[in-house]
Amino acid sequence: MKTRKQTTSGMIHVINGPNLDMLGKREPDIYGALTLDQINGELKARAETLGLSLNFFQSNHEGMILDYIHLTFEREPAGVIINPGALTHTSVALRDALSMLSCPIVEVHLSNIHKRETFRHTSMIADIATGQLTGFGHYGYRMALDFLHSLSS
Ligand code: DQA
């Protein structure tokens, strides 16, 4: 099993995958009423209180997400919070990209993927992530941030 370095000196990257730009409008009974901008805004405020620096990235394109992770790799990140959307269940390429990173990685899902369709029960990244938060709605992102902060305190 891979050991992940626990450092919080660099930037924490918050990455959201396909269709998460549609939060607020998209199936609000499953994903909640907040937009991604609202979630990121709350997270940014929380990070400021904790003295952490965040960088936000969202794309509907798998390759763009891989390119962003490659850039992240070069910048020695302190941590990654990622909701890969549907790529969670399908993308070996995403798994391989995240495997390059040695920082803590927290996998977040708004809905509880284990309570939904069988195809959502598999995560290609769960076993290479530090941990998975699933089913806590937008609060999951904040829990991920608090966890990363706890590594430095
Ligand atoms: C999701 C769950 C995925 O199964 C789905 O494809 C998403 C969102 C979540 O946050 O609950 O797009 O990652």
Side-chain angles (χ1 to χ4, degrees):
M1 195 165 81
K2 181 163 179 145
T3 312
R4 298 201 166 276
K5 270 194 266 167
Q6 301 198 344
T7 157
T8 49
S9 54
M11 185 80 83
I12 292 172
H13 297 267
V14 183
I15 303 173
N16 281 283
N19 300 314
L20 291 161
D21 56 327
M22 296 302 284
L23 288 179
K25 295 182 230 167
R26 173 192 186 203
E27 299 179 277
D29 45 322
I30 298 177
Y31 299 114
L34 294 190
T35 65
L36 188 58
D37 277 351
Q38 287 170 324
I39 293 173
N40 287 346
E42 275 190 4
L43 216 52
K44 190 165 181 270
R46 177 85 182 148
E48 275 163 15
T49 317
L50 298 173
L52 299 173
S53 312
L54 298 188
N55 213 66
F56 296 97
F57 182 76
Q58 188 278 329
S59 179
N60 293 321
H61 306 278
E62 183 174 11
M64 302 266 284
I65 296 170
L66 302 184
D67 288 345
Y68 183 80
I69 293 169
H70 296 175
L71 279 178
T72 301
F73 170 80
E74 302 296 345
R75 293 179 187 157
E76 297 194 10
V80 166
I81 297 171
I82 183 162
N83 182 348
L87 295 176
T88 308
H89 318 299
T90 59
S91 180
V92 176
L94 176 65
R95 176 195 173 88
D96 288 348
L98 290 171
S99 295
M100 292 181 216
L101 305 178
S102 51
C103 66
I105 297 173
V106 187
E107 175 184 354
V108 174
H109 300 284
L110 295 141
S111 63
N112 184 344
I113 57 173
H114 303 292
K115 272 191 175 171
R116 300 184 61 195
E117 302 95 321
T118 315
F119 67 85
R120 293 188 206 273
H121 298 180
T122 303
S123 164
M124 301 301 291
I125 68 161
D127 65 310
I128 58 133
T130 308
Q132 183 190 69
L133 290 160
T134 183
F136 299 103
H138 66 91
Y139 196 63
Y141 292 93
R142 191 210 279 210
M143 290 163 86
L145 187 65
D146 284 352
F147 164 70
L148 292 174
H149 177 249
S150 77
L151 300 179
S152 63
S153 44

